[in-house]
Amino acid sequence: MYAFEYHRPTSLSEVTGLVSGKEDAKIIAGGQTLIPTLKQRLAQPSDVIDLGAVAELHGIREEGGGLVIGATTKHAEVAGSDIVRRLIPELAELANGIGDAQVRNRGTLGGSICNNDPSADYPAALVGLNATVHTNKRTIPAEEFFTGMFETALELDEIVTAVAFPKPGRVGYAKFPNPASRYATVGVLVAEVDGAVRVAVTGAGPVVFRWPEAEQALSSNFSAAALNGLTVDADGLNADIHASAEYRANLVAVMAKRAVVRAAG
Amino acid sequence: MTSVSLKVNGKSVTREVEGRTLLVQLLRDHLGLTGTHVGCDTSQCGACVVHVDGESIKSCTMLAVQANGLEVTTIEGLAAADGTLHPMQAAFREHHGLQCGYCTPGMVMSAVDLAKSHEHLDEKTVREGLEGNICRCTGYHNIVKAVLAGAEAMRSQPAQAAAE
Amino acid sequence: MSNSPANAPVNATGIGASVKRREDFRFLTGQGTYTDDINRPNQTHAYILRSPYAHARINGIDTAAALEAPGVVAVFTGKDIAADKVNGLPCGWLIHSKDGSPMVEPPHPPLVLDKVVHVGDQVAVIIAETCEQAKDAAELVMVDYDELPAVTTSPEALKDGAPLVHDQATGNLCYDWHLGDKAATDAAFAKAAHVTKLDLINNRLVPNAMEPRAAIGEFDRATGDYTLWTTSQNPHVIRLLMGAFVLGIPEHKLRVIAPDVGGGFGSKIYHYAEEAIVTWASRKIGRPIKWVAERSESFVSDAHGRDHVTHAELALDADGKFLGLRVQTLANMGAYLSTFAPSIPTYLYATLLAGQYTTPAIYAEVKAVFTHTVPVDAYRGAGRPEACYLIERIVENAARELGIDKTELRRRNFIPPSAMPYDTPVALQYDCGMFEKCLDQALNLIDYKGFPARKAEAKARGKLRGIGLASYIEACGIAPSNVAGALGARAGLYESGEVRFHPTGSVTVFTGSHSHGQSHETTFAQLVSDRFGIPIENVEIVHGDTSKVPFGMGTYGSRSLAVGGSAISKAMDKVVNKAKKIAAHMLEAAETDIVFEQGKFTVAGTDRSLTIGDVALSAYVPHNFPLDELEPGLDEQAFYDPKNFTYPNGTQIAEVEIDPETGVVRIEKFVAVDDFGRVINPMVVEGQVHGGIVQGIGQALMENCVYDPQTGQLLTGSYMDYCMPRADDVPSFIVQYHEEAPCTHNPLGVKGCGEAGAIGGSATVMNAVVDALADLGIKHLDMPATPLRVWRAIQDASVPLAAE
């Protein structure tokens, strides 16, 4: 790890002040991606700004019938939250499947979505559940937030403060983990939101995407059978030693069906 | 350098560390608590698992400064002061849940948290709950037996289990 | 189901008792002492700058900026090493090619001079006050590389025009070796009713002991003594190789300590460059130097395992009797010859190609090949898993082709107990074994007869279920030294043991074996408790320090008990013999009338007796002692040189289910029935088997070391991509053993159990996978059977899934 200066602000305004004043600052929340990256010397920030002491960024609450989760809320907190279990139980299950128990005790919702790893679980949840990302400057619909591999719509000095999820109807998430890293090779979230079916796919492409054909098929018949014969084009999907693009395309179809079964179950 | 003050195994300590110093480095290099091990550099093997404020975390993936003001328990702090093993430690011995011993501290710390955070454990839950800990020696068979027995013992011997 | 020893233990801590481990308390309370836990006064830290290229010429190395960096004490390169006349790392086994020529043995410098030949090759060492400072400074070392083309697989490396790893190894060939009777084998094929052919790859693995390698070198200016703490399975071997061959330090000036070591599986047998670097440099800078590998470094600097490409043919007669086996194997050596590398695909592989069968004619050809990859050497099983995989896969396919039940075909060809001792056509003599017994017991445990119903039930759930087995045999406890020497070994292969009876009746045992998970501190103490009839608490086992233990060859090849235990047993014989003489004197009886049982020397037919403790006290306070006949003291040493290999054997059976939608293979059931000869501690033995099985499963389903064929970059260089088995990847196991065929030629009757699981495991699982896919017309799948590979095979199958 390269040397850096560490800061631990206690308010959001202090955070934004620090961020805008530094040449090459990085924000750390749970650090479950940033610290491994720093250890491998793949990043050399001048300053590391820790959000851990900013109380206003943390916590889970019910608001307007939906759910608002603060950016520094840990995966384990989402997984164990009574509010989440009541409003969107499958979101708690999804959080409970991120990384391992120790990662879930440190890793945060905000950290995950700001990193926007193409094989992270939360992007599927945000897009599939039609969530809204709140920042210190504005609100961004989830679909506009995730712009590319490891890229988001955030501006340089913009901080995610929370994510708001409307209360959905049926929700199911199925993931096929990479056998080594356990990240999602493919993860599919199927949800009924505001009367429409949404299907969001993570892991398969450079960035989370919706699968319109599946959404259409499920809108008229919310069952796994409705997806029979539907495939996504392997062109443009990710490929690595663990999964070819073609295999990923197959997994999208298989996981989508399993997500529907979970949602219906 | 930054000053960091925390409680480790019940004792208050203060040390000067760099921003980049990891919690595991603070424990091993500054405090001499070498029971916590490092087995990988990608936060997967779990040899470095300790408890921070009662929850298991990977001490190779937390900055020492982030532990400021918190309570850390390492494998050295698990047994009673008189050397009586924590029920989970005793179960690992009873069921031969360790061979070379290198992954063991992290495995035991993860197992204690797993037992505390589940009312009921079965083989499947234990196997899934140990996802973050890699052992190359035991094939996990005896670790699973040990964790099930240790969790049971923690329920029936709450006093010793609370020694932590 | 549990195992029970053939004979009840003589006491609660004797042979056959599942004594709880004495090493556990320190490991469970964080008080183990691994190399990285040791810090020496005034210690510095070393960081090794490694090659980022698989193959490159080095035009120059500029260390000036690094030397100016904060905290830096020294920076050394290959030039400094060469200037001090430091030699290359030696290879411990010489193989001769078919034509009688010796293998090509390129130099293996601890730090390279002008050329790197694999990613991870050592280029420079940076020594600083802290590890982070050394790493910071390493980025300031300017190396001028010219990248050259690389080759990573043995078939590619043998092709005309392939990039050369070493100029002196024409065509990248290290040796072209053979074993067996070619003419007899050809004749067998000429009369065969059926020939089964199989091409297979034994995938390259990374051993991944959980403790990364580490070393601390220290030089004492006052005495001229060097000390090396290292993560080694055999500290005496390191003292010999590094002291005599690399650094020129005589034994009496070099102490090597291997303290608690966190697993080895073969990868910590070898003498590595970093050990020589820190030892040599500690004198240069006059301070101790610690080096600890990061896991990503381990991936590119620990010796890898396996990596065979093989074509095999099995000839059978009309009744399914094996007539002959023909094998051609390419073995990837990597870029340099690691310590024992040449012996693995030869004398630990081809010699095992008879398996458990009476195949009368076998001919094997092995070409060892250099590539631009990390050196390959022994990894748990070492050659024997490759042999077992080949035999058991081809037997399985032969059974399917001939329409004979896989168990029946094996039965027809097993070497029966009545044929023991049995000389195989590939140079081994099996002393004993009851192969059909293990098979029967395993079939019973897994309910073989009930399998078709389970398969049908799985099919109704949309799953493909398969059952597979492997009947393995291994050669362990290597070996008579004179035989090994004749075959090219450059060292002896005995073990030493010293048994020191103290005046007040406690015992310290010094053993040249090394425990890094094998539980010697418990099982070896059981031998002593059993033999002397003393409480196990009165016994201490010392290992891992050349200044304490007389000599040693270390722990590998399942040899600790069979060879190291036998040495201790011999030393205990000497203790008893001497003590008997002392007892006879004290009891005023003839030595021939003294009986030793349960810790007591008794005059036969009387109640006059002395405990061994009484005798020990007299040996050190020799007031009533036969001083004209005997020396005082009770401290005996023995070297044991094995008379033959030992031959652990057994049958493993696995049942798997495949999800055809995703290609995921789940192991539903796994049983193993083994013959390890006499068992000292059932609990420990079962634990060894469990661990071995999971390494076998790992190879079969998950683990694969993958290089980019163009650039030679390691694509699986961390746990993000190298798939280590985790708890939820494997099931629990049913493990049993029998003790009805104890080893006939060592004093304990033991055979060794450390590698068995890994030797049979991969073949067992792959036979089950292929069985599950057989209805689709799939005859073979290379390891690892990852979800991607299985799914792909199902897509490409000649029989579509729907038609099944």
Side-chain angles (χ1 to χ4, degrees):
Chain A
M1 214 182 288
Y2 296 105
F4 54 76
E5 197 166 335
Y6 174 80
H7 308 269
R8 195 172 171 87
T10 52
S11 72
L12 190 53
S13 56
E14 206 184 330
V15 173
T16 49
L18 279 166
V19 170
S20 48
K22 302 295 174 190
E23 181 77 2
D24 200 2
K26 282 264 183 205
I27 288 177
I28 189 168
Q32 300 305 284
T33 301
L34 181 62
I35 292 176
T37 307
L38 294 175
K39 282 201 291 187
Q40 289 173 72
R41 297 187 170 225
L42 297 175
Q44 192 169 7
S46 57
D47 298 81
V48 168
I49 300 160
D50 189 346
L51 301 184
V54 184
E56 61 205 278
L57 296 177
H58 182 260
I60 298 169
R61 62 182 192 273
E62 188 174 356
E63 201 173 279
L67 190 62
V68 177
I69 303 179
T72 61
T73 308
K74 296 177 173 102
H75 307 324
E77 291 170 328
V78 174
S81 158
D82 290 339
I83 302 173
V84 180
R85 293 262 163 204
R86 180 161 49 80
L87 293 176
I88 320 179
E90 190 71 347
L91 183 62
E93 290 298 323
L94 176 146
N96 202 38
I98 299 172
D100 52 49
Q102 291 72 37
V103 167
R104 293 193 290 274
N105 282 335
R106 292 290 300 160
T108 67
L109 169 62
S112 171
I113 65 171
C114 291
N115 186 49
N116 193 19
D117 190 307
S119 51
D121 297 287
Y122 266 135
L126 266 65
V127 170
L129 293 167
N130 199 19
T132 305
V133 179
H134 293 241
T135 77
N136 56 331
K137 296 186 168 179
R138 56 182 168 149
T139 59
I140 310 171
E143 264 179 279
E144 292 166 27
F145 180 81
F146 302 106
T147 54
M149 192 179 274
F150 295 108
E151 282 178 8
T152 67
L154 288 179
E155 290 160 17
L156 277 178
D157 55 350
E158 195 172 12
I159 313 285
V160 170
T161 55
V163 177
F165 298 85
K167 181 165 170 42
R170 290 177 288 186
V171 183
Y173 180 65
K175 109 162 133 175
F176 188 86
N178 175 312
S181 72
R182 302 293 181 97
Y183 274 84
T185 297
V186 167
V188 180
L189 188 127
V190 175
E192 293 173 323
V193 186
D194 299 332
V197 176
R198 295 171 73 94
V199 177
V201 180
T202 189
V207 66
V208 60
F209 63 86
R210 285 174 69 181
W211 186 13
E213 291 85 350
E215 292 179 351
Q216 208 164 16
L218 293 169
S219 295
S220 47
N221 174 14
F222 196 83
S223 76
L227 298 176
N228 283 345
L230 281 190
T231 52
V232 292
D233 192 346
D235 274 357
L237 295 191
N238 301 336
D240 55 42
I241 56 170
H242 303 286
S244 61
E246 213 185 349
Y247 180 55
R248 275 195 166 82
N250 168 69
L251 288 176
V252 171
V254 174
M255 291 303 125
K257 286 183 193 174
R258 292 182 185 181
V260 172
V261 171
R262 278 186 68 86
Chain B
M1 298 294 260
T2 311
S3 176
V4 54
S5 295
L6 65 163
K7 245 188 191 170
V8 179
N9 298 331
K11 289 187 191 122
S12 297
V13 293
T14 300
R15 289 290 184 279
E16 293 290 313
V17 298
E18 285 189 279
R20 62 176 166 175
T21 302
L22 297 166
L23 177 57
V24 68
Q25 292 168 327
L26 172 69
L27 295 171
R28 287 182 56 84
D29 302 340
H30 296 246
L31 302 175
L33 294 168
T34 55
T36 302
H37 297 152
V38 177
C40 78
D41 44 17
T42 50
S43 311
Q44 279 154 320
C45 81
C48 67
V49 170
V50 300
H51 293 182
V52 172
D53 283 358
E55 290 179 342
S56 63
I57 62 100
K58 292 183 170 171
S59 63
C60 77
T61 314
M62 181 169 177
L63 301 175
V65 287
Q66 292 182 296
N68 191 46
L70 305 182
E71 289 196 26
V72 175
T73 305
T74 71
I75 191 70
E76 289 94 340
L78 206 53
D82 68 355
T84 305
L85 294 179
H86 181 280
M88 189 60 76
Q89 292 170 310
F92 268 71
R93 180 166 190 271
E94 181 67 24
H95 295 278
H96 190 28
L98 64 154
Q99 290 181 21
C100 81
Y102 197 78
C103 78
T104 306
M107 198 66 84
V108 169
M109 297 310 282
S110 288
V112 169
D113 191 21
L114 184 67
K116 284 199 299 194
S117 55
H118 287 74
E119 280 188 19
H120 172 73
L121 283 178
D122 55 19
E123 177 170 346
K124 187 168 183 288
T125 328
V126 171
R127 287 187 179 277
E128 288 171 359
L130 295 177
E131 186 182 6
N133 294 79
I134 299 175
C135 168
R136 193 56 152 171
C137 292
T138 64
Y140 302 104
H141 179 111
N142 285 340
I143 288 178
V144 173
K145 273 167 70 177
V147 175
L148 287 169
E152 188 58 42
M154 282 168 66
R155 269 186 288 278
S156 56
Q157 309 163 32
Q160 271 159 304
E164 204 203 319
Chain C
M1 299 255 182
S2 66
N3 291 303
S4 58
N7 305 302
V10 297
N11 61 42
T13 57
I15 291 173
S18 284
V19 176
K20 303 298 178 225
R21 297 206 321 164
R22 313 172 78 210
E23 38 276 83
D24 283 355
F25 184 81
R26 70 173 188 272
F27 292 146
L28 281 164
T29 53
Q31 298 176 92
T33 305
Y34 301 87
T35 301
D36 187 25
D37 300 341
I38 295 166
N39 291 297
R40 302 297 302 164
N42 205 24
Q43 166 182 289
T44 61
H45 296 263
Y47 178 77
I48 308 284
L49 181 66
R50 298 180 183 279
S51 170
Y53 299 111
H55 191 195
R57 188 173 299 109
I58 294 178
N59 299 316
I61 303 175
D62 181 353
T63 61
L67 282 164
E68 296 302 313
V72 169
V73 176
V75 179
F76 298 115
T77 68
K79 278 188 183 154
D80 302 300
I81 289 258
D84 268 15
K85 307 247 181 314
V86 170
N87 291 312
L89 308 178
C91 179
W93 203 298
L94 172 66
I95 297 293
H96 286 87
S97 286
K98 287 172 184 172
D99 63 6
S101 60
M103 68 185 187
V104 179
E105 223 174 327
H108 186 180
L111 291 170
V112 300
L113 259 183
D114 52 9
K115 192 176 153 176
V116 288
V117 287
H118 69 86
V119 171
D121 215 348
Q122 304 83 221
V123 174
V125 58
I126 297 91
I127 300 162
E129 299 294 341
T130 73
C131 198
E132 288 292 352
Q133 286 174 334
K135 278 180 88 167
D136 290 343
E139 298 198 5
L140 303 174
V141 176
M142 295 300 143
V143 187
D144 178 9
Y145 291 106
D146 279 342
E147 193 179 359
L148 299 166
V151 65
T152 61
T153 69
S154 28
E156 289 298 320
L158 288 177
K159 284 184 180 162
D160 284 345
L164 277 190
V165 182
H166 300 283
D167 292 339
Q168 63 267 56
T170 313
N172 290 317
L173 190 67
C174 174
Y175 57 73
D176 179 5
W177 175 89
H178 66 161
L179 182 70
D181 187 333
K182 183 174 193 299
T185 308
D186 288 345
F189 276 84
K191 65 177 182 191
H194 181 82
V195 174
T196 295
K197 298 181 181 182
L198 188 58
D199 286 289
L200 45 81
I201 292 172
N202 205 288
N203 43 322
R204 179 188 275 244
L205 303 176
V206 184
N208 275 307
M210 291 319 298
E211 179 204 21
R213 285 191 299 114
I216 305 169
E218 180 170 314
F219 178 69
D220 185 334
R221 281 194 193 286
T223 60
D225 292 347
Y226 293 85
T227 306
L228 169 69
W229 288 261
T230 181
T231 50
S232 176
Q233 301 178 212
N234 30 233
H236 288 86
V237 174
I238 303 307
R239 185 181 65 170
L240 176 72
L241 294 173
M242 185 179 82
F245 293 92
V246 183
L247 299 180
I249 307 169
E251 282 93 336
H252 70 296
K253 290 303 203 186
L254 174 58
R255 176 181 182 186
V256 179
I257 302 170
D260 286 329
V261 172
F265 316 110
S267 68
K268 292 172 181 168
I269 298 172
Y270 325 115
H271 174 38
Y272 285 99
E274 297 85 359
E275 294 169 323
I277 293 168
V278 297
T279 306
W280 165 79
S282 70
R283 180 172 190 164
K284 300 287 282 186
I285 68 165
R287 291 173 65 181
I289 304 170
K290 180 194 262 193
W291 169 80
V292 181
E294 297 180 359
R295 178 60 58 185
S296 49
E297 256 186 299
S298 306
F299 270 98
V300 295
S301 69
D302 291 4
H304 293 172
R306 319 279 193 255
D307 203 341
H308 285 194
V309 178
T310 294
H311 173 74
E313 300 179 1
L314 178 67
L316 302 95
D317 72 10
D319 298 325
K321 282 288 278 185
F322 305 159
L323 300 175
L325 178 69
R326 205 150 47 192
V327 172
Q328 286 146 7
T329 293
L330 304 181
N332 194 338
M333 293 283 103
Y336 301 106
L337 292 179
S338 176
T339 308
F340 291 111
S343 67
I344 310 304
T346 49
Y347 293 109
L348 291 176
Y349 164 70
T351 51
L352 272 301
L353 286 172
Q356 298 193 350
Y357 310 112
T358 54
T359 317
I362 298 172
Y363 181 63
E365 294 172 286
V366 178
K367 286 182 180 166
V369 184
F370 292 110
T371 62
H372 294 103
T373 62
V374 171
V376 178
D377 206 325
Y379 164 62
R380 201 171 195 172
R384 290 148 293 166
E386 294 92 315
C388 174
Y389 180 66
L390 183 164
I391 299 162
E392 293 302 293
R393 281 290 302 118
I394 203 165
V395 166
E396 187 82 8
N397 277 19
R400 197 163 284 119
E401 287 172 11
L402 292 172
I404 302 173
D405 179 84
K406 61 188 102 187
T407 62
E408 173 58 23
L409 185 66
R410 285 177 168 89
R411 284 183 208 282
R412 284 185 203 177
N413 289 283
F414 277 150
I415 301 163
S418 59
M420 298 290 175
Y422 180 85
D423 289 307
T424 75
V426 274
L428 295 180
Q429 186 187 70
Y430 300 162
D431 64 328
C432 60
M434 302 166 76
F435 305 144
E436 200 161 5
K437 181 182 169 64
C438 291
L439 174 66
D440 285 337
Q441 199 171 329
L443 290 171
N444 198 28
L445 283 175
I446 206 155
D447 180 24
Y448 186 65
K449 290 199 181 75
F451 175 73
R454 294 194 292 277
K455 186 179 173 77
E457 185 274 332
K459 192 173 174 182
R461 286 185 282 111
K463 299 288 198 288
L464 307 172
R465 194 164 177 118
I467 190 165
L469 63 104
S471 294
Y472 75 91
I473 188 162
E474 45 172 332
C476 295
I478 184 169
S481 292
N482 54 354
V483 174
L487 300 178
R490 287 164 166 166
L493 288 156
Y494 46 81
E495 193 48 88
S496 91
E498 181 181 350
V499 176
R500 183 176 298 165
F501 234 107
H502 299 292
T504 61
S506 62
V507 173
T508 303
V509 173
F510 302 86
T511 175
S513 294
H514 186 277
S515 183
H516 31 280
Q518 294 89 341
S519 321
H520 295 167
E521 292 167 42
T522 303
T523 54
F524 284 9
Q526 285 180 255
L527 300 179
V528 178
S529 174
D530 190 276
R531 186 72 201 277
F532 292 151
I534 60 174
I536 202 164
E537 293 73 29
N538 293 4
V539 184
E540 189 70 22
I541 306 295
V542 174
H543 66 92
D545 185 341
T546 60
S547 75
K548 294 182 180 169
V549 177
F551 204 76
M553 297 310 297
T555 286
Y556 44 85
S558 306
R559 73 195 297 276
S560 289
L561 194 57
V563 190
S566 292
I568 294 168
S569 178
K570 271 187 74 177
M572 289 194 296
D573 287 346
K574 292 184 182 178
V575 167
V576 170
N577 287 343
K578 181 171 180 182
K580 199 182 260 187
K581 289 188 172 72
I582 302 168
H585 176 90
M586 292 170 73
L587 292 164
E588 295 174 339
E591 189 189 335
T592 48
D593 290 339
I594 302 289
V595 186
F596 180 61
E597 264 177 12
Q598 311 254 348
K600 272 187 177 173
F601 292 93
T602 308
V603 182
T606 74
D607 59 358
R608 293 163 56 219
S609 68
L610 289 167
T611 68
I612 193 165
D614 299 332
V615 176
L617 183 62
S618 173
Y620 290 95
V621 188
H623 299 162
N624 177 18
F625 192 89
L627 282 167
D628 47 352
E629 188 190 339
L630 294 174
E631 297 167 7
L634 198 54
D635 184 350
E636 298 288 343
Q637 188 182 337
F639 282 70
Y640 177 77
D641 201 90
K643 296 182 180 67
N644 188 356
F645 285 96
T646 63
Y647 298 97
N649 61 85
T651 289
Q652 301 179 350
I653 312 182
E655 261 181 61
V656 302
E657 270 189 22
I658 294 174
D659 173 4
E661 289 186 329
T662 60
V664 168
V665 179
R666 292 291 307 177
I667 296 174
E668 299 294 328
K669 288 173 127 183
F670 198 110
V671 307
V673 177
D674 298 295
D675 165 11
F676 298 133
R678 196 148 69 128
V679 167
I680 307 303
N681 184 321
M683 174 190 84
V684 166
V685 166
E686 288 169 29
Q688 290 292 309
V689 176
H690 298 151
I693 288 172
V694 170
Q695 290 184 355
I697 292 172
Q699 174 168 31
L701 300 181
M702 308 169 69
E703 297 179 42
N704 201 18
C705 177
V706 184
Y707 279 94
D708 182 296
Q710 265 74 48
T711 63
Q713 293 294 326
L714 181 60
L715 300 179
T716 51
S718 81
Y719 295 151
M720 295 295 281
D721 286 303
Y722 188 87
C723 189
M724 289 285 278
R726 304 195 201 192
D728 57 356
D729 290 315
V730 294
S732 288
F733 309 105
I734 299 173
V735 169
Q736 295 194 355
Y737 57 82
H738 77 79
E739 295 187 82
E740 291 174 37
C743 175
T744 60
H745 55 76
N746 66 41
L748 295 167
V750 297
K751 299 185 179 180
C753 67
E755 296 163 293
I759 287 170
S762 54
T764 301
V765 172
M766 288 310 294
N767 277 341
V769 169
V770 174
D771 186 61
L773 297 171
D775 292 340
L776 306 180
I778 293 166
K779 293 185 174 132
H780 180 68
L781 205 58
D782 275 323
M783 300 186 287
T786 60
L788 169 63
R789 243 182 218 175
V790 172
W791 178 80
R792 187 73 260 166
I794 292 171
Q795 302 309 302
D796 297 342
S798 56
V799 182
L801 191 63
E804 217 210 329

